[in-house]
Amino acid sequence: MQAIARLDSWSRQGGHGEALELLGQVDHDWVTAKKTYVGRPGRPMRTLAAFREAYVNAVLGAILASYEGASMSAVGSQNETSDYDVTLFGGKQTWSAMKEFNDTFRSVWGKESGVVFDTNIYVDATVPPTMRHSPDSWLMKDGPPGASKEWQYVQEAASLAKMRRFMERGEWEDHVAEVADGVMSGAPGAPRGAGSRFARTTHARGAFRVADALYDSYVRSVARNLAAAGFSAPPIESDDDFVRSMEHHEENAVMRSRNILYALFIRGAQHTERSFLKHGVSGGDQGPWRSKASISELNSRALLCAMEAYHSAGAVFDVVFRQQAGLLAPSDLVFSDYVQSFNEQVGDALKDLRHYADDPGTAFCQSAKYVRRMTIAADALLQHCEGSLPADAAGLLGAFRTLSDKNGVLLRLRGGADPAFAGFTDRQKSSAASERTREVLGTDALPEFKDKLLQLARAVHVLRYSQTGESTAAAGASPMA
């Protein structure tokens, strides 16, 4: 495309020379740019953020001109330390537009946009909450008649897969076992109404089992794509270990593989959805490939490959539409939305605890955004379910709520622009974060912080899978939705 070919010239002639020079000095890496420029005199990071937005919008604008009915939207915080992600809407080939953007960016910069700009492009794959009960909606509350009961778990399992991705195998297995034991034994605070504890425990294990399968499928796909690109795992290394090690040493290669897989999987989901809307459910001799359940699964599998994406509709409804864009009221969401959002915030917090493991203070700061969202989701789901958290878990929830207060030390440090910390070195900021964490949570050791986070998650999961009847949630939704 001729317009794309002129982008490099546009960036250099449009008053963006300073931004290009700043990026060049940090090897075109946004993470390094933030470490280098945030808080510097002259606000160089603001210059880079403005250039990033202008450049991404120009590339997408040129591409979308060829896609009838397609548009783009950037929802979320857009300050100088945040990411800049864009979602494509409308049209019939948005997956192709996304792929074209990634291919174009890669050819110009030699790296993925997630590395250079902390920018990722998504395709809208979430049914609006007001459409969830429409006959045309693939977003199911229950599995289709005659289908495996496991179809019921797709959205929730996808949210649990976010947690699985950032837990070691042993941690995950211990978590599942303790949740199942808690549901079976009737943990303090859990509802005691009618219903089989065995059935509810089976339901819990089913959700975790599907989450594990989704995650295993994701790592196998990424590992195979990396192998096709010339990277190979040692013979004794599992796909899981291989992908995790590559994330540390070849981040751009992993990002490229995931972008390729995301486009491939979302194409299949979009094609299946269009076929479903046109022809209805596939016939009995064709199998269940064209159904609400299959579309739900295809979208979730695609989102597992997307960079920095929510895997479940509930997290998108809660954070993107409700908290960030203000397009939804709490009454528009149901119990399961908050459960899914809670799971994903725990997973993203675990992600930052792992990523910044060498500097606990920074890990506490970076994870604070997700810890705050986690407490908001937990407070909402607790309002709409039977029973309550046991005292120790309720205390942990309160401590995490205090620690991640929007005006608290951690989020002010994370923002990077608070004048109270303007003269702080990175080491001083890390020390201040650790000190505040120790004051509130009783520890500044990262393993203990993680243990407390998972302790709270276990208590919430026991309560979630102990539900026995209709919830008082918005729209009268069942807590087992």
mmCIF file of all heavy atoms in Angstrom, residues 2 11 13 52 68 97 103 163-164 172-173 201 204 250 293 308 318 322-323 331 336 348 374 386 428 433 458:
data_model
loop_
_atom_site.group_PDB
_atom_site.id
_atom_site.type_symbol
_atom_site.label_atom_id
_atom_site.label_comp_id
_atom_site.label_asym_id
_atom_site.label_seq_id
_atom_site.Cartn_x
_atom_site.Cartn_y
_atom_site.Cartn_z
ATOM 1 N N GLN A 2 0.554 2.161 -0.921
ATOM 2 C CA GLN A 2 1.414 3.330 -1.090
ATOM 3 C C GLN A 2 1.422 4.197 0.160
ATOM 4 O O GLN A 2 2.459 4.743 0.551
ATOM 5 C CB GLN A 2 0.934 4.136 -2.297
ATOM 6 C CG GLN A 2 1.921 5.208 -2.749
ATOM 7 C CD GLN A 2 1.450 5.893 -4.019
ATOM 8 O OE1 GLN A 2 0.271 5.861 -4.331
ATOM 9 N NE2 GLN A 2 2.377 6.486 -4.735
ATOM 10 N N SER A 11 6.881 10.130 9.432
ATOM 11 C CA SER A 11 7.341 10.208 10.811
ATOM 12 C C SER A 11 8.545 11.123 10.953
ATOM 13 O O SER A 11 8.725 11.784 11.976
ATOM 14 C CB SER A 11 7.676 8.811 11.338
ATOM 15 O OG SER A 11 8.758 8.259 10.615
ATOM 16 N N GLN A 13 9.331 13.696 8.764
ATOM 17 C CA GLN A 13 9.070 15.049 8.303
ATOM 18 C C GLN A 13 7.960 15.744 9.085
ATOM 19 O O GLN A 13 7.743 16.943 8.908
ATOM 20 C CB GLN A 13 8.710 15.029 6.819
ATOM 21 C CG GLN A 13 9.839 14.539 5.927
ATOM 22 C CD GLN A 13 9.422 14.441 4.476
ATOM 23 O OE1 GLN A 13 8.334 14.898 4.101
ATOM 24 N NE2 GLN A 13 10.278 13.844 3.648
ATOM 25 N N ARG A 52 3.733 7.930 19.532
ATOM 26 C CA ARG A 52 3.176 6.581 19.438
ATOM 27 C C ARG A 52 1.722 6.622 18.975
ATOM 28 O O ARG A 52 1.333 5.910 18.041
ATOM 29 C CB ARG A 52 3.266 5.890 20.797
ATOM 30 C CG ARG A 52 2.519 4.563 20.872
ATOM 31 C CD ARG A 52 2.634 3.916 22.237
ATOM 32 N NE ARG A 52 1.995 4.680 23.303
ATOM 33 C CZ ARG A 52 1.933 4.285 24.572
ATOM 34 N NH1 ARG A 52 2.510 3.135 24.929
ATOM 35 N NH2 ARG A 52 1.344 5.013 25.489
ATOM 36 N N GLU A 68 -14.271 -1.885 4.378
ATOM 37 C CA GLU A 68 -15.562 -1.221 4.498
ATOM 38 C C GLU A 68 -16.236 -1.561 5.826
ATOM 39 O O GLU A 68 -16.323 -2.721 6.217
ATOM 40 C CB GLU A 68 -16.466 -1.646 3.349
ATOM 41 C CG GLU A 68 -17.820 -0.953 3.346
ATOM 42 C CD GLU A 68 -18.687 -1.382 2.169
ATOM 43 O OE1 GLU A 68 -18.204 -2.181 1.339
ATOM 44 O OE2 GLU A 68 -19.836 -0.919 2.108
ATOM 45 N N ALA A 97 -7.226 -6.985 8.815
ATOM 46 C CA ALA A 97 -6.679 -5.642 9.055
ATOM 47 C C ALA A 97 -5.664 -5.670 10.182
ATOM 48 O O ALA A 97 -4.612 -5.016 10.112
ATOM 49 C CB ALA A 97 -7.813 -4.671 9.374
ATOM 50 N N ASP A 103 2.024 -7.047 10.216
ATOM 51 C CA ASP A 103 3.005 -7.304 9.159
ATOM 52 C C ASP A 103 3.705 -6.018 8.740
ATOM 53 O O ASP A 103 4.931 -5.996 8.529
ATOM 54 C CB ASP A 103 2.318 -7.937 7.947
ATOM 55 C CG ASP A 103 1.846 -9.350 8.202
ATOM 56 O OD1 ASP A 103 2.282 -9.953 9.210
ATOM 57 O OD2 ASP A 103 1.035 -9.865 7.403
ATOM 58 N N MET A 163 -4.708 -17.245 35.225
ATOM 59 C CA MET A 163 -4.005 -17.592 36.454
ATOM 60 C C MET A 163 -3.039 -18.747 36.215
ATOM 61 O O MET A 163 -1.888 -18.703 36.659
ATOM 62 C CB MET A 163 -5.005 -17.971 37.554
ATOM 63 C CG MET A 163 -5.816 -16.817 38.105
ATOM 64 S SD MET A 163 -6.919 -17.343 39.449
ATOM 65 C CE MET A 163 -5.753 -18.052 40.615
ATOM 66 N N ARG A 164 -3.516 -19.764 35.509
ATOM 67 C CA ARG A 164 -2.669 -20.942 35.259
ATOM 68 C C ARG A 164 -1.368 -20.557 34.567
ATOM 69 O O ARG A 164 -0.295 -21.103 34.881
ATOM 70 C CB ARG A 164 -3.452 -21.950 34.401
ATOM 71 C CG ARG A 164 -2.605 -23.093 33.851
ATOM 72 C CD ARG A 164 -2.088 -23.982 34.969
ATOM 73 N NE ARG A 164 -1.150 -24.974 34.457
ATOM 74 C CZ ARG A 164 0.181 -24.817 34.424
ATOM 75 N NH1 ARG A 164 0.742 -23.696 34.857
ATOM 76 N NH2 ARG A 164 0.947 -25.775 33.963
ATOM 77 N N TRP A 172 -0.416 -24.668 40.803
ATOM 78 C CA TRP A 172 -1.745 -24.806 40.228
ATOM 79 C C TRP A 172 -2.450 -26.048 40.777
ATOM 80 O O TRP A 172 -3.622 -25.978 41.186
ATOM 81 C CB TRP A 172 -1.636 -24.886 38.709
ATOM 82 C CG TRP A 172 -2.893 -25.205 37.981
ATOM 83 C CD1 TRP A 172 -3.255 -26.408 37.456
ATOM 84 C CD2 TRP A 172 -3.975 -24.304 37.696
ATOM 85 N NE1 TRP A 172 -4.489 -26.321 36.848
ATOM 86 C CE2 TRP A 172 -4.954 -25.053 36.978
ATOM 87 C CE3 TRP A 172 -4.207 -22.968 37.961
ATOM 88 C CZ2 TRP A 172 -6.149 -24.479 36.530
ATOM 89 C CZ3 TRP A 172 -5.402 -22.397 37.513
ATOM 90 C CH2 TRP A 172 -6.355 -23.138 36.813
ATOM 91 N N GLU A 173 -1.763 -27.166 40.791
ATOM 92 C CA GLU A 173 -2.376 -28.398 41.276
ATOM 93 C C GLU A 173 -2.750 -28.294 42.747
ATOM 94 O O GLU A 173 -3.814 -28.787 43.164
ATOM 95 C CB GLU A 173 -1.431 -29.578 41.031
ATOM 96 C CG GLU A 173 -1.249 -29.894 39.547
ATOM 97 C CD GLU A 173 -0.238 -30.991 39.294
ATOM 98 O OE1 GLU A 173 0.487 -31.362 40.254
ATOM 99 O OE2 GLU A 173 -0.171 -31.490 38.145
ATOM 100 N N THR A 201 -18.336 -29.810 43.920
ATOM 101 C CA THR A 201 -16.893 -30.064 43.811
ATOM 102 C C THR A 201 -16.547 -30.529 42.394
ATOM 103 O O THR A 201 -15.528 -30.112 41.825
ATOM 104 C CB THR A 201 -16.459 -31.126 44.829
ATOM 105 O OG1 THR A 201 -16.814 -30.699 46.148
ATOM 106 C CG2 THR A 201 -14.952 -31.349 44.769
ATOM 107 N N ALA A 204 -16.433 -27.543 40.172
ATOM 108 C CA ALA A 204 -15.193 -26.777 40.341
ATOM 109 C C ALA A 204 -14.041 -27.454 39.598
ATOM 110 O O ALA A 204 -13.305 -26.807 38.848
ATOM 111 C CB ALA A 204 -14.861 -26.642 41.826
ATOM 112 N N GLU A 250 13.793 -14.200 24.461
ATOM 113 C CA GLU A 250 13.445 -13.859 23.080
ATOM 114 C C GLU A 250 12.012 -13.315 23.060
ATOM 115 O O GLU A 250 11.127 -13.847 22.394
ATOM 116 C CB GLU A 250 13.560 -15.094 22.180
ATOM 117 C CG GLU A 250 14.962 -15.616 21.999
ATOM 118 C CD GLU A 250 15.803 -14.735 21.070
ATOM 119 O OE1 GLU A 250 15.228 -13.829 20.434
ATOM 120 O OE2 GLU A 250 17.029 -14.971 20.990
ATOM 121 N N ALA A 293 -21.380 -22.731 21.512
ATOM 122 C CA ALA A 293 -20.281 -23.237 22.336
ATOM 123 C C ALA A 293 -18.962 -23.193 21.584
ATOM 124 O O ALA A 293 -17.927 -22.785 22.125
ATOM 125 C CB ALA A 293 -20.584 -24.665 22.789
ATOM 126 N N GLU A 308 -1.348 -9.313 26.125
ATOM 127 C CA GLU A 308 -1.900 -8.459 27.170
ATOM 128 C C GLU A 308 -3.414 -8.351 27.098
ATOM 129 O O GLU A 308 -3.987 -7.308 27.439
ATOM 130 C CB GLU A 308 -1.282 -7.054 27.085
ATOM 131 C CG GLU A 308 0.235 -7.016 27.100
ATOM 132 C CD GLU A 308 0.831 -7.571 28.397
ATOM 133 O OE1 GLU A 308 0.169 -7.458 29.445
ATOM 134 O OE2 GLU A 308 1.936 -8.115 28.345
ATOM 135 N N ASP A 318 -16.301 -5.829 32.880
ATOM 136 C CA ASP A 318 -16.047 -5.177 34.165
ATOM 137 C C ASP A 318 -15.019 -4.062 34.057
ATOM 138 O O ASP A 318 -15.256 -2.933 34.515
ATOM 139 C CB ASP A 318 -15.582 -6.219 35.187
ATOM 140 C CG ASP A 318 -15.309 -5.613 36.554
ATOM 141 O OD1 ASP A 318 -16.018 -4.660 36.938
ATOM 142 O OD2 ASP A 318 -14.385 -6.074 37.232
ATOM 143 N N ARG A 322 -16.945 -1.054 31.982
ATOM 144 C CA ARG A 322 -17.500 -0.435 33.198
ATOM 145 C C ARG A 322 -16.517 0.531 33.850
ATOM 146 O O ARG A 322 -16.802 1.719 33.997
ATOM 147 C CB ARG A 322 -17.918 -1.514 34.196
ATOM 148 C CG ARG A 322 -18.574 -0.949 35.474
ATOM 149 C CD ARG A 322 -19.107 -2.055 36.359
ATOM 150 N NE ARG A 322 -18.077 -2.708 37.128
ATOM 151 C CZ ARG A 322 -17.777 -2.399 38.397
ATOM 152 N NH1 ARG A 322 -18.407 -1.417 39.016
ATOM 153 N NH2 ARG A 322 -16.840 -3.059 39.046
ATOM 154 N N GLN A 323 -15.332 0.017 34.250
ATOM 155 C CA GLN A 323 -14.415 0.851 35.021
ATOM 156 C C GLN A 323 -13.711 1.908 34.172
ATOM 157 O O GLN A 323 -13.546 3.045 34.608
ATOM 158 C CB GLN A 323 -13.371 -0.027 35.715
ATOM 159 C CG GLN A 323 -13.940 -0.963 36.772
ATOM 160 C CD GLN A 323 -12.850 -1.748 37.488
ATOM 161 O OE1 GLN A 323 -11.782 -1.236 37.786
ATOM 162 N NE2 GLN A 323 -13.119 -3.019 37.771
ATOM 163 N N SER A 331 -25.310 -2.666 37.379
ATOM 164 C CA SER A 331 -26.524 -3.449 37.140
ATOM 165 C C SER A 331 -26.516 -4.157 35.801
ATOM 166 O O SER A 331 -27.335 -5.040 35.544
ATOM 167 C CB SER A 331 -27.761 -2.545 37.234
ATOM 168 O OG SER A 331 -27.681 -1.490 36.288
ATOM 169 N N SER A 336 -21.211 -13.974 37.251
ATOM 170 C CA SER A 336 -20.111 -14.647 36.574
ATOM 171 C C SER A 336 -19.142 -13.656 35.945
ATOM 172 O O SER A 336 -17.958 -13.957 35.796
ATOM 173 C CB SER A 336 -20.636 -15.617 35.516
ATOM 174 O OG SER A 336 -21.455 -14.944 34.577
ATOM 175 N N ASP A 348 -3.073 -11.377 36.192
ATOM 176 C CA ASP A 348 -2.206 -10.280 35.757
ATOM 177 C C ASP A 348 -1.295 -9.794 36.887
ATOM 178 O O ASP A 348 -0.165 -9.371 36.643
ATOM 179 C CB ASP A 348 -3.055 -9.120 35.220
ATOM 180 C CG ASP A 348 -3.524 -9.369 33.792
ATOM 181 O OD1 ASP A 348 -2.803 -10.054 33.048
ATOM 182 O OD2 ASP A 348 -4.607 -8.876 33.420
ATOM 183 N N MET A 374 -8.686 -6.292 41.152
ATOM 184 C CA MET A 374 -9.081 -7.544 41.793
ATOM 185 C C MET A 374 -9.994 -7.280 42.987
ATOM 186 O O MET A 374 -11.015 -7.950 43.165
ATOM 187 C CB MET A 374 -7.833 -8.301 42.252
ATOM 188 C CG MET A 374 -8.111 -9.581 43.032
ATOM 189 S SD MET A 374 -6.648 -10.167 43.930
ATOM 190 C CE MET A 374 -6.592 -8.986 45.300
ATOM 191 N N GLU A 386 -24.209 -16.095 47.815
ATOM 192 C CA GLU A 386 -24.530 -16.610 49.136
ATOM 193 C C GLU A 386 -23.255 -16.764 49.951
ATOM 194 O O GLU A 386 -22.203 -17.101 49.417
ATOM 195 C CB GLU A 386 -25.205 -17.971 48.999
ATOM 196 C CG GLU A 386 -26.492 -17.945 48.184
ATOM 197 C CD GLU A 386 -26.995 -19.357 47.910
ATOM 198 O OE1 GLU A 386 -26.190 -20.162 47.407
ATOM 199 O OE2 GLU A 386 -28.160 -19.621 48.191
ATOM 200 N N GLN A 428 15.204 4.121 45.409
ATOM 201 C CA GLN A 428 14.407 4.742 46.467
ATOM 202 C C GLN A 428 12.917 4.461 46.274
ATOM 203 O O GLN A 428 12.186 4.237 47.246
ATOM 204 C CB GLN A 428 14.664 6.253 46.496
ATOM 205 C CG GLN A 428 16.033 6.636 47.037
ATOM 206 C CD GLN A 428 16.321 8.123 46.877
ATOM 207 O OE1 GLN A 428 15.958 8.736 45.867
ATOM 208 N NE2 GLN A 428 16.971 8.703 47.875
ATOM 209 N N ALA A 433 8.128 1.469 48.089
ATOM 210 C CA ALA A 433 7.056 0.512 47.810
ATOM 211 C C ALA A 433 7.131 -0.679 48.759
ATOM 212 O O ALA A 433 6.102 -1.146 49.277
ATOM 213 C CB ALA A 433 7.153 0.043 46.363
ATOM 214 N N ARG A 458 -8.000 -18.546 46.675
ATOM 215 C CA ARG A 458 -8.578 -19.845 47.049
ATOM 216 C C ARG A 458 -9.889 -19.653 47.807
ATOM 217 O O ARG A 458 -10.866 -20.370 47.558
ATOM 218 C CB ARG A 458 -7.591 -20.642 47.898
ATOM 219 C CG ARG A 458 -6.476 -21.301 47.093
ATOM 220 C CD ARG A 458 -5.723 -22.318 47.919
ATOM 221 N NE ARG A 458 -4.974 -21.707 49.003
ATOM 222 C CZ ARG A 458 -3.738 -21.231 48.888
ATOM 223 N NH1 ARG A 458 -3.112 -21.292 47.724
ATOM 224 N NH2 ARG A 458 -3.112 -20.701 49.925
#
